[in-house]
Amino acid sequence: MPVDVIYKTKATANGGGRDGAARSDDGSVDVKLVVPKEMGGPGGVGANPEKLFAAGYSACFLGAMRAVSSKVGVKVPAEATVTAEVGFGPRSEGGYGITADLTIDLPGVDRAEAKKLIAAAHEVCPYSNATRNNVDVGLTLA
């Protein structure tokens, strides 16, 4: 499906890929990359692609809820949060894959209304659209 691009950014990874560094072209993102112990690496302080994906997906989904809130008639409270948990592992078909589970907390919002808002956000969120039909994404209302 074509996209009418209104914004682009770049980031470059160096070193060993998962064991090196990544930096955005403007320097606003500049992270050390470390392979987690669970994946055979040294672990320690640093990011990895899954952490970066979790941060991006959670922020994007919260933004998507705010974007659709007036359309569905459900206000997003200022203290709303989205927590993304991203999993990584081998696929039965070969190669590796990821999973994503979003936990959405909408304090003070009626559960039925919250579910309506979450469903609408899941339809417009770019991360949800990018993962649809190829990544298991769970949505849980806290």
Side-chain angles (χ1 to χ4, degrees):
M1 185 180 316
V3 175
D4 183 15
V5 176
I6 60 172
Y7 171 77
K8 284 186 178 184
T9 189
K10 290 182 187 177
T12 302
N14 59 46
R18 287 180 167 273
D19 186 19
R23 184 177 190 278
S24 63
D25 61 345
D26 67 358
S28 63
V29 174
D30 191 354
V31 295
K32 176 184 177 190
L33 300 172
V34 177
V35 179
K37 287 182 180 180
E38 298 87 346
M39 294 170 69
V45 177
N48 59 53
E50 293 71 35
K51 286 181 183 182
L52 297 170
F53 188 79
Y57 201 167
S58 61
C60 191
F61 199 86
L62 182 55
M65 287 194 305
R66 292 194 189 289
V68 300
S69 66
S70 62
K71 185 187 294 185
V72 297
V74 181
K75 185 174 188 228
V76 178
E79 55 281 343
T81 61
V82 176
T83 301
E85 182 176 41
V86 173
F88 169 93
R91 296 170 13 127
S92 59
E93 301 86 0
Y96 294 89
I98 61 172
T99 61
D101 290 291
L102 304 181
T103 301
I104 301 102
D105 189 12
L106 296 163
V109 178
D110 173 79
R111 288 191 73 76
E113 293 293 301
K115 287 180 180 184
K116 183 168 75 169
L117 176 66
I118 291 166
H122 193 47
E123 290 302 314
V124 302
C125 175
Y127 279 66
S128 293
N129 286 328
T131 59
R132 195 173 327 284
N133 299 322
N134 63 356
V135 172
D136 288 332
V137 176
L139 301 171
T140 302
L141 177 58

